[in-house]
Amino acid sequence: MLMDISGISVSVTKKKIKNMHLYVKPPYGEVSLSAPLHMSDDAIERFVRTKMSWLRKHISAFENQPRLSKREYVTGETLYVWGKQYFLQVDYGIKNSMELSGDKAILTVRTESTLEQREKFVKEWYRRILKEEIARLLPKWEEKTGLYSTGWQTKYMTTRWGSCNVKTGKIWLNLQLAKKPLICLEYIILHELAHLVEKKHGDGFIALMDKFMPMWSEVKDTLNKEALDYME
């Protein structure tokens, strides 16, 4: 359920847990809270109000994070691929394609193509290159950790970089990761694999991350400081 507390929208989920847990989630600073099943709405509201200063600080950090301008997919715009900036060059032909050459991203489209069609093609291009890297990197991290997913998929997500269904063992990875440095994708893969055995971000989870990627907190900071997609 959603609760409005002092102008902040909080997504509340009640679970079989003992304590409340409050999160401000990347990349857009959305607020969520997990609470015990027996916890009353009044108790939840009182708890959130005690954390208001902390909440506003973290929400502001995400709101002030640099964002990419709205894409029109015309020559001169910039695109990011694996953390590197490319200048878009739009050419016209009978078949859609994207090619990286030097500092240019050469997008070939049909003359009559619409903005929506160009956007859809570029998103699917990002999906393809992301899938290629996941197929290469996931087995590497599974072998390294001894933690194996049952499957994976990509998805355009607005509140998280990845997710893990601990019941099925399946992981999801955010399509936007194709725009970020490759080490960020590796960090998210490891993060989601760790959740297969550690549901929460507690000491056990941190110990796994420290063991297999000692600099994971620095990578996390890098990812969360990266420019985000345009948001209406």
Side-chain angles (χ1 to χ4, degrees), residues 82-83 136-137 140-141 177 180-190 212-213 215-216 218-220 222-223:
W82 303 126
R136 180 177 69 88
L137 292 171
K140 163 192 164 181
W141 284 101
L177 286 166
K180 313 307 175 187
L182 197 57
I183 188 63
C184 294
L185 172 59
E186 297 202 58
Y187 156 68
I188 294 298
I189 287 174
L190 175 59
F212 295 110
M213 186 181 281
M215 74 300 192
W216 69 272
E218 288 86 353
V219 179
K220 177 183 177 181
T222 295
L223 177 58

Side-chain angles (χ1 to χ4, degrees), residues 45-219:
E45 182 171 348
R46 288 195 298 271
F47 173 78
V48 172
R49 289 188 184 280
T50 67
K51 303 293 184 181
M52 199 56 64
S53 177
W54 178 86
L55 274 177
R56 294 192 187 282
K57 175 183 176 182
H58 284 77
I59 291 171
S60 177
F62 284 116
E63 288 178 343
N64 294 324
Q65 193 170 345
R67 295 184 184 276
L68 303 175
S69 59
K70 183 175 176 59
R71 303 291 85 180
E72 299 291 339
Y73 301 99
V74 294
T75 295
E77 286 186 339
T78 57
L79 293 180
Y80 287 82
V81 183
W82 303 126
K84 181 180 177 181
Q85 184 184 61
Y86 291 87
F87 295 95
L88 188 63
Q89 175 183 312
V90 178
D91 291 343
Y92 298 99
I94 60 174
K95 186 178 180 180
N96 293 335
S97 67
M98 175 80 90
E99 178 185 355
L100 302 179
S101 178
D103 63 353
K104 292 182 179 180
I106 304 170
L107 173 63
T108 302
V109 294
R110 295 184 299 276
T111 305
E112 69 278 8
S113 62
T114 65
L115 168 61
E116 291 74 20
Q117 289 170 332
R118 295 181 187 194
E119 182 175 54
K120 181 179 180 181
F121 172 77
V122 172
K123 276 191 175 182
E124 289 308 309
W125 181 82
Y126 273 122
R127 191 186 305 278
R128 178 174 61 79
I129 65 170
L130 178 62
K131 284 184 171 182
E132 290 174 354
E133 289 301 327
I134 295 171
R136 180 177 69 88
L137 292 171
L138 180 58
K140 163 192 164 181
W141 284 101
E142 288 178 329
E143 183 177 353
K144 188 172 183 178
T145 62
L147 302 172
Y148 293 85
S149 66
T150 58
W152 58 270
Q153 281 189 283
T154 60
K155 183 179 181 181
Y156 192 89
M157 293 181 271
T158 59
T159 62
R160 56 183 64 185
W161 296 111
S163 64
C164 172
N165 186 320
V166 295
K167 292 183 179 179
T168 65
K170 186 175 181 178
I171 65 175
W172 297 79
L173 297 160
N174 193 332
L175 191 59
Q176 290 195 61
L177 286 166
K179 303 175 184 180
K180 313 307 175 187
L182 197 57
I183 188 63
C184 294
L185 172 59
E186 297 202 58
Y187 156 68
I188 294 298
I189 287 174
L190 175 59
H191 182 116
E192 301 310 329
L193 288 176
H195 277 314
L196 293 174
V197 291
E198 295 289 340
K199 296 181 182 180
K200 300 178 183 179
H201 298 104
D203 292 342
F205 174 86
I206 292 172
L208 277 174
M209 297 299 293
D210 286 343
K211 177 179 180 180
F212 295 110
M213 186 181 281
M215 74 300 192
W216 69 272
S217 59
E218 288 86 353
V219 179

